[in-house]
Amino acid sequence: MGGQRAQVIDERQGRAAPPGAPVPAGPPPELVFTRRLRPVQVARELWAARELVRALAERDLRARYKQAVLGFAWAVLTPLALCAIFTLVFHRAVKIETGAVPYTLFAYLGLIVWQFFSNTMNQGALSLANNLSLLNKVYCPREVFPLATMLVATVDMVIGVGVLGLMFLVFWTAPAATFLWVLPLLVIQFAFTYGIALILSVAVVYLRDVRHLLPIITQMGVFATPVAYPLAKIPQRLQEIYVGVNPLGAVIEGYRKALLYGEAPDARMTMIAAASSLVFLVGGYLVFKKLETGIADVA
């Protein structure tokens, strides 16, 4: 016992404890890892790491567009191409009714939201796996890596919104006066997307098969989400359940009502989407913190 006491290390001071010092019951409180949800502390840590988030996002943007001839134009070429296909298939062949709103505007607005979600999901899922060497050398909240990918997707979305503004000019129309409803919908969209990105980022580290499933999920998701058609195409008795599982359905529908039809988003659907997004965000964070301690072991 005496020999054991002689090996006691005073962790607070970083030197050997004097002989006879009691054996500590555990590490000091500041070194104890906790999985309890502390929103204020989490927000402070992410804010403190804002420069790292910006640097990671800037690095990813440079890597994506630096050697591309068309540069940032690629951020809108994909949704524009899909918009053209949707216009031919869903508007001309299936005859999706959008009232007085041009279908191209209707579909493109949904595609901007979907493109943001799919970009964050795909890149966020790989954010930890692609930065294992960095996160093992630099101390920082590991949730900054999927957050940086969402920041990159936000830049793409802003570019897409600029093209949407040009579309309003082309079709000689303007966003409705109810456009301020966009702000709470943005919060719901970001909360849901970040929660999914947190879950997928650790899932890919443990199960590499997930990265092969993502392209399939992305391709199926764009048709399973009311991007090319209105939410009303979902059977009414299933709409609340659907929005609970996929809050993007209510978010896209809310954007269309606020920007294109001059109406407030459906209050009940928006509340369900908000509650569901909060569950995804909190659940994603807890899963992330639960699994992040083993990342170095499985990497």
Side-chain angles (χ1 to χ4, degrees):
M1 185 63 182
Q4 183 179 1
R5 288 178 181 279
Q7 299 299 321
V8 172
I9 302 298
D10 186 342
E11 298 183 359
R12 294 177 184 273
Q13 302 299 324
R15 61 175 181 267
V23 178
E30 64 270 21
L31 297 181
V32 174
F33 180 80
T34 176
R35 299 188 182 95
R36 286 182 295 179
L37 183 62
R38 296 176 175 175
V40 175
Q41 181 178 345
V42 172
R44 285 178 178 172
E45 290 180 351
L46 290 179
W47 177 251
R50 61 188 181 281
E51 286 301 319
L52 177 60
V53 174
R54 183 195 60 76
L56 290 171
E58 185 176 337
R59 182 201 62 180
D60 291 346
L61 277 172
R62 289 180 183 275
R64 183 186 300 183
Y65 297 119
K66 185 177 180 180
Q67 296 183 349
V69 175
L70 297 180
F72 285 93
W74 286 110
V76 295
L77 286 179
T78 300
L80 284 177
L82 285 173
C83 188
I85 295 172
F86 285 175
T87 301
L88 291 174
V89 175
F90 287 92
H91 183 51
R92 300 288 177 84
V94 185
K95 305 293 184 185
I96 294 292
E97 181 58 44
T98 59
V101 173
Y103 179 81
T104 304
L105 266 179
F106 179 92
Y108 184 74
L109 184 54
L111 281 167
I112 292 176
V113 180
W114 176 256
Q115 197 71 15
F116 167 80
F117 176 75
S118 64
N119 284 346
T120 305
M121 185 175 68
N122 287 310
Q123 300 302 320
L126 303 177
S127 60
L128 291 180
N130 289 343
N131 290 285
L132 286 174
S133 58
L134 179 61
L135 62 85
N136 286 330
K137 295 177 181 176
V138 179
Y139 171 77
C140 63
R142 290 171 175 173
E143 49 269 37
V144 301
F145 293 98
L147 182 61
T149 63
M150 193 166 74
L151 182 58
V152 173
T154 303
V155 173
D156 291 343
M157 186 174 71
V158 170
I159 297 173
V161 170
V163 175
L164 179 66
L166 294 177
M167 284 187 172
F168 276 115
L169 293 175
V170 170
F171 289 105
W172 290 93
T173 184
T178 51
F179 69 91
L180 288 179
W181 282 107
V182 165
L183 298 179
L185 294 171
L186 267 177
V187 175
I188 297 172
Q189 177 187 340
F190 276 64
F192 172 65
T193 304
Y194 189 43
I196 294 295
L198 285 172
I199 296 173
L200 290 176
S201 63
V202 289
V204 165
V205 175
Y206 284 86
L207 298 171
R208 300 303 170 96
D209 292 341
V210 175
R211 69 171 65 192
H212 300 294
L213 284 174
L214 285 176
I216 301 173
I217 295 173
T218 302
Q219 293 180 16
M220 294 176 63
V222 71
F223 296 105
T225 302
V227 174
Y229 52 85
L231 183 62
K233 289 295 181 182
I234 305 292
Q236 189 170 9
R237 68 180 188 283
L238 299 177
Q239 285 183 11
E240 293 181 356
I241 298 174
Y242 175 83
V243 169
V245 176
N246 183 5
L248 289 182
V251 170
I252 293 173
E253 193 72 6
Y255 284 143
R256 286 169 175 159
K257 286 191 173 185
L259 289 173
L260 304 181
Y261 294 99
E263 301 174 7
D266 184 283
R268 184 170 179 79
M269 290 300 173
T270 304
M271 291 298 294
I272 293 174
S276 176
S277 296
L278 183 61
V279 170
F280 274 105
L281 178 62
V282 174
Y285 178 78
L286 293 176
V287 169
F288 185 91
K289 301 305 288 185
K290 174 76 174 178
L291 297 178
E292 73 166 344
T293 53
I295 289 175
D297 298 329
V298 300

